[in-house]
Amino acid sequence: DILLSDEDLNTVLHGLADDEDLYKKNIYPVARINPIGSNFNSSQMNTFDFEITILDQRDLSNSNELDKFDGNDNEIDNLNTTHAVINRLVTILRNRVVDDRIQLINASNATPVLYKRNNLMDGWQVTLTLGIPNDTINIC
């Protein structure tokens, strides 16, 4: 819900983070949520690891650019926008009210994703560990 309501995102997907976008009608920027693990080490809480990837499509200009730093594309804009989405997600999860029962346990360092093959996508990826109380089984 947090990602769906983000003003800078147009599409939220669930599934493997491939280099290629199999759904050609997706509107960028996109968020891709991948479950990557769950931990049962605590009888009090179950934890789940999710890989969150935020990507925007790179636009290339055919004009010759004199600025060697900015180049002839929107890579820097893509990195800025997608980083802001991840920042808002992590900040909201950190400050979330306990009644939601979802708790941010850990957020990894964000890793840039640059110039992915066919779709020319740029963005950031982070791994989040979320915890929920393990109260589905009465052990008494």
Side-chain angles (χ1 to χ4, degrees):
D1 289 343
I2 297 169
L3 290 172
L4 286 171
S5 66
D6 193 289
E7 61 193 28
D8 286 330
L9 281 178
N10 291 314
T11 307
V12 177
L13 305 170
H14 173 266
L16 297 175
D18 296 325
D19 289 344
E20 297 184 38
D21 182 6
L22 300 178
Y23 304 103
K24 300 300 181 192
K25 295 182 180 180
N26 285 334
I27 301 172
Y28 288 87
V30 299
R32 193 176 292 271
I33 303 170
N34 294 314
I36 56 175
S38 180
N39 187 317
F40 298 102
N41 287 339
S42 170
S43 62
Q44 309 287 310
M45 180 177 287
N46 290 330
T47 61
F48 300 87
D49 297 322
F50 293 94
E51 182 181 79
I52 310 294
T53 308
I54 313 295
L55 297 170
D56 202 353
Q57 200 161 29
R58 189 180 295 191
D59 296 323
L60 300 173
S61 171
N62 290 331
S63 64
N64 289 332
E65 293 293 328
L66 299 176
D67 187 342
K68 292 182 181 182
F69 183 79
D70 284 339
N72 67 340
D73 58 31
N74 64 338
E75 174 190 351
I76 294 171
D77 294 332
N78 287 352
L79 290 173
N80 188 26
T81 300
T82 56
H83 190 276
V85 172
I86 286 180
N87 184 41
R88 283 191 293 270
L89 173 66
V90 170
T91 301
I92 290 169
L93 286 171
R94 272 200 185 109
N95 297 320
R96 189 152 222 171
V97 180
V98 178
D99 291 343
D100 286 336
R101 299 173 44 90
I102 298 173
Q103 180 181 357
L104 178 64
I105 305 298
N106 188 44
S108 72
N109 290 335
T111 306
V113 177
L114 299 172
Y115 209 56
K116 285 299 204 178
R117 294 196 303 173
N118 297 334
N119 287 336
L120 306 177
M121 296 182 286
D122 301 305
W124 290 89
Q125 185 172 75
V126 67
T127 300
L128 302 180
T129 302
L130 303 177
I132 60 169
N134 186 11
D135 56 5
T136 58
I137 300 173
N138 185 355
I139 58 172
C140 294

